[in-house]
Amino acid sequence: MDYKDRIVSLFKNLLHHLFSHHHGKEIIPVKAKASDYHFEYTDCDVLGSRWRVAIPNKPDTCTGLPDPVKGTHCTFTCKEGEYLDMKSQECQKCTAGTYSLGTGVAFDDWDTLPTGFLSHGASMDAVTVKHSTWSPKGDYIASNTDECISTLSYAVSLKQPGSVSFQYFYPDSNILFEFYVQNDQCQSTDSQSRWMKSSENDWDAHYVQLNRGNNVVYWRTTGFSLSSNAVKPVLLKNIAISGVAYTSECFHCKPGTYSAEAGAARCLPCPVDTYSNKGATACQQCLKDKYSGIGSGMCKQRPPCTASDYFYTHTPCDSRGQTQLMYKWIEPKICSESAVGAVTLPISGEMQACPPCNPGFFSSNSSACLPCPQGFYSNGIACSECPVGMEPVVGFEYKWWNRMPSNMRSSVYSDLFVTGWEVAGEYIYTTPGDMDSDYMMLTLTVPGYSLPYSRVKDNERAELSKITFVFETKCSADCRLYFMTGLNERNNGVVESWKGTVGKQSYSYLIKSNRTVSFTWAFQRTEAYTTFSSDFAKIYSIHITNVKGGVASQCRQCALGSSNTASACVPCPPGHYMLNGTGVCKSCPPNTFVRPEQPLGEEACVQCGPNTNSNKARTSCVNDCTLAVLYKGESLRYDFSPLANVTHFQSSPRFTSKGLRYVHQFSVGLCGTEGRALASCVDNVTDSRKQVNGYVCQSTIVPSEIRGQSVVSSQPFSIGSTLIGVSTDSTLDHISSSENYFPAELKLPEVIFYYQAPETTQVCKYGRSTSIRLRCDPTVMALDQISFNCSEGTCDGCSFHFLWRSQYACPLCSERNYQKIVTYCNNGIQRTTYVWQQPLQCTGGVTLPAPQVSACVTMDFWLKFGVSVGTVAALLLVTISCYFWKRTRKLQYKYSKLMMNVGDKDCDLPAADSCAIMEGEDAEDDLIYLTKKSFFTKIKSFSRERTSDGFDSVPLKTSSGQEMEMN
């Protein structure tokens, strides 16, 4: 006997001893009935072993229980459709009317929240919200539709690797829906795969593998609708989890399902017009006056048939070119023709003339419409080849609806109905449905686009195609028609919607990316859950251009080489347009770009706006972030390169009617060359991942707490894809940027960038526009100090205006912006410095010249120099005065002597000059006039005066050769 058997024996002896000696009386044990207890396994030990023990169903049942026996190994499992019989510890097949997943559990009955499931609601700030939880709805469980977080969770312990699978219906992108799993360490699954994709058509399935051990699975939704429209909830059903230890019983099939044979892994739904109760092995037929849908647990009374229960269509054209008008009941038929007041189905078979084929197609011998060959075109009757020098304008144009085009399909979000849109000759329309809250979908898919002329791919104007459709709606309630585009039907995003009754009108949408190859029209009769209404939507025509593999309804002139006019069509080079009627290319004027949607005629050349230049491909105009402005006779130069990088800024917080906080984020790529970085706005909320690029774009940012990510962006759209021009004027073309929007008292002009987004909406008939006013403010060091006109940058939703204050919006500095300061002379040194004029209203440009030092002479030096020169001049003047005074005395003396000699004998000549030198006189004093005149003699001779008798003084020579002056 081993150790475990010994313990069991001791346990039995102890029980026998206790019961046999109770109150001194011996009690004879009574064997318990099978209904008094059930079997369970003990916890597994480290070796994977366990024991099977009997557990009494009532607390007072303690005798007659079977002895514990060794159980199966912990890894023991049963197959699908089997359960573990604990009495024999062997797998047995489930009986008819029941099912089993083997090693799993399934939840397909949602009348109440099953045991083990928890639902928790919370607001954005983590405050608990009692009403925002998942609600059981019978066949499924529905999420919240408010702007709160609602979490559904289930904890399970797996003894082996398993999986979780479920079906979900996720039609509304205004709700975030995520599914993830946490293990023992609270580690979540990959965040990239936790976000669920929108349902393409009705219910989708999801499958995730689970690891061994404890796992908690979560379904979490968060509403974030920014509009007043009702939000559709996320629906869950058929949740199955495999990998549990075992299942000891089979589950009964829920009402509306059945399993006819033993060993079923799942129950099958009952067909239309049948029903079943719980645990059914077969479905029962409804009475003739009652009906049921697929998987119904009961039958309903058939209502009287009305005109809303049938629709009409046309048969294919026969060889005679005729078609039959056919009336059909909406399937499955739920109304009764025999009820009081019921209408009958109109008689079918009326013959009508077939409409012509759609443009680009022709009618074959079998009366089927076939596409014209490549290079041919047609008006819907016969194909004709394009003349020489012309090319077909390819695309698809549907205006006759005799049959559903091959690249279009109709669907409805409903379990019961597959009829959504039906052809009716001149239009395609929505047929009546059971659930008017369902979306009736019409999807057009194209393979891609091909331009009919050469154009280098350019980020400025990336227009590839255009789709135009004519439609109308008639509504008695709150119906809505949606137009959606995207990569495929699953990833389509809403472009425009129309609510209520809308008269017959046309709508056009420009296609700018090859990723837009799917178009969907969705009609919803009402947001409430009502039935049977006559509201409808009609589409009369759909026309899409430049489609690969498309057909042509007309031809147009194409560019031909001048050397060979009979050659095949070749495109014009960049910057050229085609002359009408000749097919010859001609260059556009300088600084223009060519309209991609209109390459014919000189009007295709568009002049670039002020201060912009055409790019190399001649498809748009750009600005290199530099500008020169003439202001008060001076040239101001600007360089906005520091502002050229993509800048993001947000509006003030806003709140929806339900209190959800959100902001509008703008991205701006102000200017730059062709290779610049573009402003980009994305949608990272839904699986569409829509991205918008351009100069200016806008997106909506909701609180990041709802996703656990740093940025949650949605609803992106462009508000400036083309640069119109750069100017200091407050108006350019049709765009105005009034100074009253941002009043200021500045002496410098303000530069304004004007942008245009050509995409039109129901509100913005001419597209959207943006003006960014740059204001010089040297005190602003930041690059993103941008203010708004109105609270969100726009007052009408179409024209956006921003003020960008920055030091880099100032003109470049020049010589006129600084002044020179010269210091006084100090110790023979003089300094020259340069300073900016205040207030400084410039940036960059020239720099201040370096300080200069030069030698100088002070005032003391000049004073001393002047005194010295004055002193020398005074001495010289005194000396000269003395000299002339002395010479004058000598001359007077000699003159007096001569006059005395002449006075004695007037007629006698003076005696010979032989007088001796008187004492005290120098010999040289007697030589008054020398043969060589001295300086003073010349002065005297020039200054002699005429005597009173009219004779001049005449010098005479003496015998000794000297001169004498005689009167």
Side-chain angles (χ1 to χ4, degrees), residues 727-742 750-754 769-775 789 799-803:
S727 175
T728 57
D729 298 332
S730 59
T731 302
L732 182 62
D733 290 346
H734 62 283
I735 308 175
S736 298
S737 177
S738 175
E739 297 178 356
N740 298 328
Y741 294 159
F742 308 102
E750 294 180 342
V751 179
I752 307 173
F753 281 75
Y754 293 92
S769 62
T770 299
S771 67
I772 300 179
R773 180 181 292 266
L774 301 182
R775 177 169 294 174
N789 174 43
S799 300
F800 294 78
H801 305 280
F802 305 104
L803 174 65

Side-chain angles (χ1 to χ4, degrees), residues 643-649 666-670 678-680 694-697 755 772 786 802 804:
L643 307 178
N645 295 331
V646 177
T647 304
H648 306 281
F649 55 96
F666 300 89
S667 296
V668 176
L670 185 68
L678 298 176
S680 178
Y695 283 98
V696 193
C697 60
Y755 306 96
I772 300 179
I786 303 176
F802 305 104
W804 195 334

Side-chain angles (χ1 to χ4, degrees), residues 15 31 49 107 114 208 248 254 273 320 377 406 468 497 505 634 658 721 819-820 843 916 942 949 962:
L15 291 176
K31 187 176 182 180
S49 301
F107 305 95
V208 174
S248 58
K254 69 175 184 177
D273 292 337
R320 296 176 298 175
Y377 72 100
S406 59
T468 303
S497 64
Q505 61 181 266
E634 297 181 356
K658 298 181 180 179
S721 58
Q819 60 184 2
K820 180 173 67 174
T843 182
F942 281 108
D949 54 3
Q962 295 179 343

Side-chain angles (χ1 to χ4, degrees), residues 117-160:
F117 280 87
L118 296 176
S119 181
H120 173 73
S123 62
M124 299 300 177
D125 52 3
V127 177
T128 301
V129 181
K130 294 183 179 180
H131 66 273
S132 183
T133 55
W134 290 74
S135 304
K137 300 293 185 181
D139 293 336
Y140 54 84
I141 184 171
S143 72
N144 64 315
T145 57
D146 54 14
E147 294 169 351
C148 294
I149 302 173
S150 182
T151 304
L152 179 69
S153 63
Y154 181 77
V156 63
S157 178
L158 301 185
K159 302 301 181 182
Q160 62 183 7

Side-chain angles (χ1 to χ4, degrees), residues 475-488:
C475 303
S476 58
D478 53 352
C479 73
R480 186 179 290 269
L481 175 66
Y482 297 89
F483 174 61
M484 300 176 285
T485 66
L487 183 59
N488 50 54

